[in-house]
Amino acid sequence: MIPKKPKILVARAVFPEVLAKLDTHFEVQSNQDDVLWTPEKLAQQLQGKVGVFTTGSQRVDAALLAVCPELKVCANMAVGFNNFDLAAMTAAGVLGTNTPGVLTETTADFGFALLMATARRIAESERFLRAGLWNRWRYDMFAGGEVHGSTLGILGMGRIGQGIAQRGAHGFGMKVIYHNRSRLDEATEAQCKARFVSKDELLAQADHLVLVLPYSESSHHAIGQAELSQMKPTATLINIARGGIVDDAALAVALKNGTIAAAGLDVFEGEPQVHPDLLTVPNVVLTPHIASATQATRLAMAHLAADNLIGFLCRGKALTPLNPEVLSATCR
Ligand code: 8YV
């Protein structure tokens, strides 16, 4: 008798070649129409499944796990995993995996692109041109902030933060300062030409402050009204980390009041909703959570998520586990 393939769910649309790979190992239920399921509908789709391929938009928590007793592994196609309640997953003996490494350089590229677009007012000036308002040269037209030689501040100095530091220090001769939960070792600091400072010093000194820290309860509104008022009035703020790290309402006020010069945001509180006031202020560049979006990187992320499912369900070994303690515990 041919042994039955394990059943898995791919919760969002994905590259056909990744689905084809999963099909060789599993009985796959896919969602190529990319329907956005409610938590109840997701739970329904998960019945009888041992694995799920998720993106940042599916929440996996105690309530979901309680009604999906057969589930053993959730493979997130993202490096961030704040959509997972990892403690609840560990308690339920469910493995979580993410996709670190494969998106580092691409995301750092985008962080730098957003910094440049924001400081040099590229989106704002393009809107002006497209609106047919360009009828003469003027000495101060769209005069922005300097990038080369300025001070680059980084909050959250993991792989992506280090990638941005390298670009700033080596490509643009920027002075790099950073704040992180823990200080980097000397060799890494030297490679990034980065100096560890307090959060207060970071806010006060940065000409461009890039946020690359993970979202958690403790980073919720890490940048609010108080922090924004510690920044230079000429400074820019770039968020490529997660919505909720910045208090978007306070940021909109700060941008209107000139507390800071400009912001570049790829992530938002409650996305895909965007705070209405951010849509009306001119000095903010807004992009729809695309920092990792190149064809090659998204494909690499999808393959890694798929390989985590295959590795764990077929060989008992995931490539990038988030709670590896589950691997040694008795499977539920
Ligand atoms: C993902 C991201 O594309 O990896 C992350 O943490 O924010 C993005 O690269 C997004 O979360 C969808 O899963």
Side-chain angles (χ1 to χ4, degrees), residues 238-289:
I238 309 299
N239 188 8
I240 57 164
R242 275 292 180 271
I245 291 176
V246 175
D247 176 345
D248 286 349
L251 175 62
V253 174
L255 289 167
K256 269 190 203 155
N257 292 349
T259 308
I260 64 169
L265 307 173
D266 186 49
V267 287
F268 305 87
E269 281 190 283
E271 65 187 51
Q273 305 303 318
V274 175
H275 192 288
D277 293 350
L278 287 173
L279 296 170
T280 57
V281 284
N283 47 342
V284 60
V285 182
L286 307 167
T287 53
H289 203 145

Side-chain angles (χ1 to χ4, degrees), residues 33-87:
D33 290 337
D34 214 24
V35 178
L36 287 177
W37 293 318
T38 59
E40 295 72 34
K41 191 78 185 158
L42 175 64
Q44 241 175 49
Q45 308 294 325
L46 276 171
Q47 295 311 302
K49 312 292 190 311
V50 292
V52 60
F53 181 117
T54 55
T55 67
S57 45
Q58 289 74 53
R59 176 111 191 108
V60 177
D61 56 15
L64 183 85
L65 296 171
V67 294
C68 303
E70 286 163 86
L71 193 63
K72 290 190 175 70
V73 55
C74 305
N76 217 26
M77 181 185 151
V79 65
F81 53 90
N82 55 306
N83 56 315
F84 286 176
D85 179 340
L86 207 57

Side-chain angles (χ1 to χ4, degrees), residues 312-332:
F312 179 63
L313 290 171
C314 305
R315 293 185 279 278
K317 228 176 148 176
L319 295 169
T320 48
L322 289 165
N323 50 348
E325 58 272 33
V326 166
L327 297 170
S328 43
T330 335
C331 260
R332 65 181 194 155

Side-chain angles (χ1 to χ4, degrees), residues 40-211:
E40 295 72 34
K41 191 78 185 158
L42 175 64
Q44 241 175 49
Q45 308 294 325
L46 276 171
Q47 295 311 302
K49 312 292 190 311
V50 292
V52 60
F53 181 117
T54 55
T55 67
S57 45
Q58 289 74 53
R59 176 111 191 108
V60 177
D61 56 15
L64 183 85
L65 296 171
V67 294
C68 303
E70 286 163 86
L71 193 63
K72 290 190 175 70
V73 55
C74 305
N76 217 26
M77 181 185 151
V79 65
F81 53 90
N82 55 306
N83 56 315
F84 286 176
D85 179 340
L86 207 57
M89 289 169 71
T90 306
V94 174
L95 183 75
T97 67
N98 67 340
T99 60
V102 292
L103 47 62
T104 304
E105 298 304 327
T106 299
T107 305
D109 283 349
F110 186 86
F112 222 86
L114 195 53
L115 186 163
M116 297 286 289
T118 304
R120 298 302 308 274
R121 305 176 66 176
I122 288 176
E124 197 185 344
S125 62
E126 202 216 9
R127 286 194 296 272
F128 169 89
L129 183 150
R130 283 184 187 272
L133 299 171
W134 186 28
N135 55 15
R136 71 187 76 173
W137 179 92
R138 210 188 119 89
Y139 74 97
D140 62 349
M141 191 169 76
F142 294 108
E146 209 70 88
V147 175
H148 73 272
S150 65
T151 297
L152 171 61
I154 300 176
L155 186 57
M157 198 61 156
R159 296 182 188 86
I160 300 169
Q162 290 169 35
I164 292 169
Q166 303 255 15
R167 284 159 178 74
H170 302 295
F172 289 81
M174 295 168 94
K175 186 174 135 194
V176 182
I177 53 177
Y178 76 97
H179 185 73
N180 197 39
R181 267 174 308 188
S182 46
R183 192 174 163 173
L184 299 179
D185 59 71
E186 265 179 50
T188 313
E189 279 190 352
Q191 246 171 29
C192 298
K193 290 195 172 178
R195 185 168 67 86
F196 182 80
V197 295
S198 67
K199 186 176 170 190
D200 287 340
E201 192 177 343
L202 185 80
L203 292 167
Q205 297 299 321
D207 292 311
H208 307 287
L209 177 60
V210 185
L211 308 178

